[in-house]
Amino acid sequence: GRAQLYLNNAPSEVKELAQTLNMLLSRLSQSWEQEREFVSNVSHELRTPLTIVLGYLQSVLRRQNNLTPSQQEALETAASEAEHIIRLLQDLLDLARADSGYLHFQIKSYVLNNLVEEVVLMAQKYSDRTIQIESTTYPIEVKVDYSRFKQVLLNLIDNAIKYSEAATPILFKLNQLSDRVIIQICDQGHGIPLQHQSRIFERFYRVDESRSPATGGSGLGLSIVKTLVEGMGGSVSVQSKLEEGSVFTISLPRSSSGI
Ligand code: ADP
């Protein structure tokens, strides 16, 4: 809701001041709303043509088998950049929707162990990194939105892969408390300096660009993770030690009834 200052019995100067402040507040919140709408519209408008461009690029790559290696490479680069921008636009759209309360969740009960296994199999289609799953019990039942939850886990796996060496494994730890479910994703990567740990969930925040120039991230991934997890009634946090690795911990409501 909109902030308002109520000062019924105050002297007139104070009332006037309060009125001015209220006017400013209402203008501010109007301009925030306009900004959200603008971001949302621009993302939407750009996504459609880019998706078409990507479609053409992919179809040329599929059908033309007489491309020179450099043509092939140019088209592949263009396609992967287009994919990158489309993902970025989708993230911006999700965040704008979340801000204005239009991000909807279809919360149902699932067996956490199976969901995590599915996501790990998906990730292993594009990376040959070793990903292990450890669980205290089976089945652990969780209440989430199926596709949003997968999006969260994929974002965290992507990061774990990006920010650690190829030879190191990634580990999922699943745990069940009386009314919560705890999911931890652990990597043995570069780690995150303590002074940055509280800020990495902010939009566009990246730790030391020069250390990870090749990863081409936008700094939106973890803000999406936080928004989605909180939207499903959960929370997310990080523990990390430089040159040892990072652990991202998600806590979500446990499903009380049977599935
Ligand atoms: P992006 O990966 O696109 O930069 P994110 O929002 O996903 O954006 O992450 C923000 C920053 O947090 C990253 O730039 C990186 O510096 C740091 N980070 C995220 N995950 C990890 C991880 N598993 N290990 C080390 N650093 C990480």
Side-chain angles (χ1 to χ4, degrees):
R2 210 165 274 174
Q4 279 275 0
L5 296 172
Y6 296 106
L7 293 164
N8 285 332
N9 304 316
S12 66
E13 292 89 349
V14 177
K15 273 189 196 157
E16 240 169 74
L17 188 66
Q19 256 171 13
T20 314
L21 278 175
N22 280 334
M23 193 190 66
L24 281 175
L25 278 174
S26 112
R27 279 206 198 150
L28 255 181
S29 85
Q30 233 174 2
S31 85
W32 280 326
E33 264 156 45
Q34 278 167 0
E35 187 190 311
R36 277 200 289 272
E37 218 176 286
F38 175 74
V39 170
S40 164
N41 289 344
V42 169
S43 312
H44 195 78
E45 291 300 318
L46 289 177
R47 207 172 46 143
T48 312
L50 260 174
T51 308
I52 296 170
V53 169
L54 178 63
Y56 278 120
L57 288 170
Q58 284 169 336
S59 110
V60 173
L61 277 165
R62 253 196 323 269
R63 286 187 204 162
Q64 296 285 345
N65 37 27
N66 53 354
L67 295 171
T68 68
S70 71
Q71 286 173 330
Q72 173 95 16
E73 201 192 315
L75 286 175
E76 276 169 4
T77 306
S80 102
E81 289 301 313
E83 267 174 25
H84 182 83
I85 302 172
I86 290 169
R87 260 206 311 278
L88 180 65
L89 292 172
Q90 184 60 50
D91 284 351
L92 283 171
L93 207 55
D94 284 346
L95 284 171
R97 281 190 188 137
D99 282 347
S100 50
Y102 287 126
L103 197 64
H104 292 298
F105 295 92
Q106 276 201 303
I107 307 285
K108 289 187 193 154
S109 293
Y110 296 92
V111 175
L112 176 69
N113 318 63
N114 300 351
L115 281 187
V116 173
E117 202 166 308
E118 245 178 76
V119 175
V120 167
L121 285 176
M122 271 172 78
Q124 282 174 333
K125 280 191 185 143
Y126 59 84
S127 160
D128 43 23
R129 187 66 70 91
T130 306
I131 308 176
Q132 294 152 346
I133 306 173
E134 251 176 33
S135 179
T136 51
T137 29
Y138 182 94
I140 296 177
E141 290 166 9
V142 69
K143 281 201 279 200
V144 289
D145 176 303
Y146 181 77
S147 68
R148 295 303 188 185
F149 183 66
K150 288 214 295 201
Q151 192 180 348
V152 164
L153 295 189
L154 279 174
N155 264 322
L156 292 175
I157 294 178
D158 274 352
N159 280 348
I161 293 176
K162 269 195 301 193
Y163 301 111
S164 66
E165 303 305 324
T168 61
I170 291 160
L171 174 65
F172 269 102
K173 290 188 189 169
L174 315 182
N175 228 309
Q176 178 178 280
L177 306 180
S178 60
D179 61 341
R180 317 284 301 164
V181 159
I182 308 293
I183 303 137
Q184 293 186 299
I185 169 162
C186 320
D187 66 57
Q188 298 170 16
H190 315 314
I192 302 157
L194 190 64
Q195 71 269 28
H196 294 283
Q197 286 176 21
S198 60
R199 302 204 57 194
I200 54 171
F201 295 97
E202 290 171 19
R203 289 175 198 185
F204 298 109
Y205 194 85
R206 306 195 69 208
V207 180
D208 197 356
E209 296 280 342
S210 60
R211 271 173 48 143
S212 45
T215 60
S218 61
L220 281 179
L222 286 177
S223 62
I224 294 275
V225 164
K226 183 172 152 71
T227 299
L228 294 182
V229 169
E230 288 176 356
M232 295 187 286
S235 61
V236 57
S237 62
V238 65
Q239 294 118 290
S240 181
K241 226 169 168 189
L242 224 46
E243 306 312 332
E244 280 185 26
S246 310
V247 179
F248 284 85
T249 303
I250 299 175
S251 159
L252 280 163
R254 183 183 158 188
S255 178
S256 47
S257 59
I259 291 178

